[in-house]
């Protein structure tokens, strides 16, 4: 009987792509992959350190694994494992902790799978995380997350990612194209590009700061790969999203009109305290440029509330800035203190109840923005890619510009692209449609 392995991923799309690569390594060594809720011989938890909540969830997930099999071997890998290896090793039930460089070699560390009294730690100095491991994840049959870049050279005052993932480095262009072609051959219709700072693509392509390709080169090359119906850029820094890229996407074969652009604050003073590499005027320019060449583009925004020194006046600046901006939805993060960051030592700490109130206000604004964007799309003709899950008798899908639609469950629609006309917004905020019949050729 083959040994069984199960995986749990916390955090971002990048973590999901890396979990998939680690899982394929296990499978190539004869392990059978099972669901995390099932009995397995090994449980691998890919950790995240971005929010306080992700730290707390780790212990709950370890307990879940022990409940499924008290004798199982439990390994923690990823960002939190790099930042706080000893802390994770002390969690009851954890046998192995692997940091940034070791996680892709996990099968080398599995000798006898016997339980340890205390977790064994293998975690490098983060300066050693200077090599690149390509990854892609197939979450369901409809889309894949393709990792093109890792690490970050930015020094934002609130962020632990450079400490957890190391310097900015990229996959070689031919590797990215080979992975994209492999994904296309599996009848997957959409690829989402992912990384820590994907606009920095090209840096570290040769294991040093030398590079010959840029993010625009990557986008142009991927647009030529046969068999990919849709390419989606996940999150890209506003200072790295160049006008040339926006222009190219507006006329490309496969890239869709959807951008996710972190803002973090609509107050220039707070942006300076965060050590972001732009001010609000550049952000306005990027949004205006996108809407000029792609009026129906969907634009998502990351924003942090409750950063140290964010006064009521600065928060209201952010609120009014976002309210006036032609964007489609927000991802709102409540600031949480992280060890070894500059922000954790700053004055002007915002009380947690005020952070929570500000978060609620921006989440409410996001609902309003998404509704207004969906309303602007009613009556337009779009292409929907349908997903594979039956959710309470309905099938869901997304248009190229990220409008979420629903229809009564029909298994024949799974992983298909359908031409539709968007007709109305349902009570739950999702959009209904009518299928557009192709007119017969004369």
């Amino acid at each position: 009987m083959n040994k069984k392995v199960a995986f749990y991923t916390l955090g971002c799309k990048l973590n999901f792509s890396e979990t998939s690569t680690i899982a394929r390594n296990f499978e190539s060594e004869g392990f059978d992959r099972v669901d995390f809720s099932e009995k397995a011989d090994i449980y691998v938890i890919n950790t995240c350190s971005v929010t306080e909540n992700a730290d707390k969830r780790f212990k709950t997930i370890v307990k879940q694994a022990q409940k499924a099999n008290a004798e199982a071997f439990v390994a923690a890998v990823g960002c939190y494992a790099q930042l706080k290896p000893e802390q994770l090793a002390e969690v009851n039930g954890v046998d192995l902790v692997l940091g940034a460089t070791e996680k892709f070699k996990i099968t080398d560390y599995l000798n006898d799978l016997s339980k340890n009294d205390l977790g064994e730690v293998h975690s490098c100095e983060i300066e050693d995380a200077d090599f690149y491991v390509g990854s892609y994840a197939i979450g369901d049959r409809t889309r894949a997350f393709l990792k093109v870049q890792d690490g970050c050279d930015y020094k934002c005052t609130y962020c632990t990612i450079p400490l957890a993932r190391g310097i900015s480095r990229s996959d070689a262009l031919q590797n990215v194209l080979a992975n994209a072609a492999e994904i296309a051959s599996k009848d997957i219709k959409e690829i989402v590009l992912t990384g820590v700072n994907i606009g920095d693509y090209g840096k570290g392509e040769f294991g040093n700061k030398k590079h010959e390709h840029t993010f625009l080169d990557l986008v142009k090359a991927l647009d030529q790969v046969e068999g990919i119906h849709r390419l989606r850029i996940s999150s890209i820094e506003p200072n790295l999203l160049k006008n040339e890229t926006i222009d190219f996407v507006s006329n490309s074969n496969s890239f869709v009109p959807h951008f996710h652009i972190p803002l973090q604050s609509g107050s220039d003073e707070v942006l300076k305290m965060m050590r972001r590499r732009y001010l609000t005027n550049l952000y306005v320019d990027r949004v205006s440029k996108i809407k000029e060449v792609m009026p129906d583009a969907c634009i998502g925004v990351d924003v942090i509330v409750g950063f140290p020194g964010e006064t009521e006046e600065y928060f209201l600046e952010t609120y009014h800035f976002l309210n006036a901006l032609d964007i489609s939805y927000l991802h709102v993060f409540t600031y949480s203190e992280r060890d070894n960051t500059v922000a954790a030592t700053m004055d002007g700490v915002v009380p947690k109840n005020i952070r929570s109130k500000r978060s609620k206000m921006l989440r409410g604004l996001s609902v309003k923005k998404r509704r207004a964007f969906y309303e602007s799309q009613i009556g337009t003709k779009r292409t929907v890619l349908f997903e594979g899950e039956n959710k309470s008798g309905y099938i869901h899908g997304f248009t190229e510009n990220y409008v979420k639609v629903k229809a009564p469950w029909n298994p024949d629609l799974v992983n298909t692209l359908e031409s539709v006309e968007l007709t109305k917004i349902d009570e739950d905020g999702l959009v209904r449609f009518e299928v557009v019949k192709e007119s017969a050729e004369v």
Side-chain angles (χ1 to χ4, degrees):
M1 287 285 287
N2 288 348
K3 292 210 178 297
K4 293 178 179 174
V5 61
F7 297 87
Y8 197 107
T9 306
L10 289 157
C12 61
K13 295 183 179 84
L14 180 56
N15 272 6
F16 279 92
S17 75
E18 292 181 341
T19 298
S20 282
T21 296
I22 294 166
R24 285 194 289 274
N25 293 344
F26 271 95
E27 286 164 2
S28 70
E29 297 204 18
F31 286 83
D32 289 335
R33 184 176 181 176
V34 297
D35 191 77
F36 201 82
S37 59
E38 295 176 45
K39 187 174 181 180
D41 300 288
I42 304 172
Y43 292 92
V44 180
I45 304 166
N46 194 353
T47 63
C48 168
S49 68
V50 171
T51 66
E52 196 176 20
N53 194 28
D55 299 357
K56 289 173 183 165
R57 281 185 65 197
F58 176 74
K59 288 179 183 171
T60 311
I61 295 154
V62 172
K63 280 181 187 156
Q64 208 177 311
Q66 288 177 303
K67 197 172 169 187
N69 181 7
E71 299 305 308
F73 189 88
V74 177
V77 303
C79 292
Y80 193 33
Q82 175 63 36
L83 291 173
K84 300 279 181 76
E86 281 77 20
Q87 205 168 306
L88 290 195
E90 285 167 8
V91 172
N92 185 34
V94 173
D95 301 293
L96 178 67
V97 180
L98 299 179
T101 62
E102 293 82 10
K103 63 189 171 192
F104 293 107
K105 301 177 281 193
I106 181 171
T107 53
D108 297 349
Y109 292 98
L110 304 174
N111 300 322
D112 58 359
L113 296 188
S114 56
K115 297 290 289 172
N116 296 323
D117 292 337
L118 184 66
E120 188 183 320
V121 172
H122 297 276
S123 133
C124 66
E125 291 302 317
I126 198 60
E127 291 76 23
D128 298 336
D130 58 359
F131 59 89
Y132 187 87
V133 177
S135 305
Y136 66 83
I138 297 166
D140 51 34
R141 283 196 307 155
T142 56
R143 75 171 53 81
F145 300 119
L146 173 59
K147 174 183 167 185
V148 300
Q149 183 274 342
D150 200 351
C152 189
D153 292 340
Y154 287 9
K155 301 286 187 285
C156 301
T157 52
Y158 52 82
C159 187
T160 58
I161 287 174
L163 298 172
R165 284 187 168 270
I167 59 170
S168 178
R169 53 209 190 274
S170 308
D171 204 351
L173 186 59
Q174 64 269 29
N175 286 355
V176 176
L177 298 178
N179 281 339
E182 198 176 316
I183 291 165
S185 73
K186 298 177 192 291
D187 192 34
I188 287 161
K189 304 286 195 292
E190 179 174 307
I191 292 177
V192 183
L193 303 186
T194 184
V196 173
N197 189 357
I198 63 171
D200 208 24
Y201 175 80
K203 193 188 279 186
E205 213 177 334
F206 302 100
N208 52 30
K209 294 296 178 197
K210 183 172 164 290
H211 65 90
E212 65 183 57
H213 297 110
T214 63
F215 183 68
L216 180 58
D217 294 334
L218 171 74
V219 164
K220 285 180 172 175
L222 281 167
D223 202 45
Q224 299 302 313
V225 176
E226 295 283 320
I228 301 173
H229 298 268
R230 284 183 177 181
L231 285 154
R232 203 178 287 277
I233 298 167
S234 59
S235 181
I236 183 165
E237 293 284 305
N239 50 304
L240 296 175
L241 177 57
K242 306 297 186 193
N243 286 345
E244 296 84 351
T245 304
I246 296 168
D247 281 329
F248 181 81
V249 166
S250 71
N251 292 302
S252 72
N253 301 319
S254 311
F255 278 89
V256 294
H258 174 209
F259 295 86
H260 194 93
I261 314 170
L263 169 68
Q264 311 310 15
S265 176
S267 159
D268 284 343
E269 290 310 310
V270 176
L271 288 174
K272 288 173 193 170
M273 289 190 279
M274 290 176 164
R275 289 193 202 149
R276 300 292 285 159
R277 297 198 176 193
Y278 54 86
L279 296 174
T280 51
N281 59 350
L282 180 133
Y283 200 92
V284 171
D285 287 350
R286 292 295 177 269
V287 171
S288 303
K289 173 66 180 174
I290 291 166
K291 287 295 185 174
E292 177 196 322
V293 295
M294 291 171 272
D296 292 318
C298 178
I299 302 175
V301 182
D302 287 341
V303 62
I304 296 170
V305 296
F307 185 80
E310 184 189 62
T311 61
E312 189 70 13
E313 183 189 349
Y314 290 156
F315 168 71
L316 289 174
E317 256 184 78
T318 296
Y319 187 92
H320 295 310
F321 178 78
L322 288 166
N323 193 31
L325 210 54
D326 192 2
I327 54 159
S328 316
Y329 64 90
L330 305 172
H331 281 173
V332 184
F333 298 90
T334 304
Y335 172 76
S336 62
E337 287 77 2
R338 318 304 295 147
D339 289 345
N340 302 314
T341 59
V342 174
T345 62
M346 283 181 172
D347 294 334
V349 173
V350 178
K352 292 205 168 165
N353 63 323
I354 292 177
R355 295 183 209 183
S356 174
K357 179 185 149 204
R358 290 176 184 174
S359 173
K360 249 183 216 150
M361 281 178 71
L362 285 185
R363 286 173 206 275
L365 180 60
S366 180
V367 170
K368 182 180 128 184
K369 286 283 183 185
R370 195 184 295 270
R371 176 86 189 192
F373 176 62
Y374 282 8
E375 282 173 355
S376 76
Q377 296 304 298
I378 299 303
T380 63
K381 291 184 172 59
R382 297 281 168 231
T383 306
V384 171
L385 174 57
F386 287 97
E387 304 196 326
E389 206 179 333
N390 182 341
K391 292 185 178 172
S392 310
Y394 287 94
I395 189 168
H396 293 155
F398 285 93
T399 64
E400 61 274 40
N401 62 340
Y402 216 55
V403 174
K404 191 172 185 180
V405 305
K406 65 185 277 197
W409 172 252
N410 177 354
D412 294 340
L413 286 176
V414 172
N415 198 32
T416 65
L417 287 157
E418 297 286 336
S419 297
V420 304
E421 182 177 336
L422 304 180
T423 54
K424 64 171 187 173
I425 301 175
D426 224 345
E427 306 83 55
D428 57 5
L430 302 187
V431 178
R432 296 295 199 128
F433 60 87
E434 286 175 5
V435 175
V436 176
K437 299 291 177 203
E438 298 297 326
S439 55
E441 287 187 26
V442 179

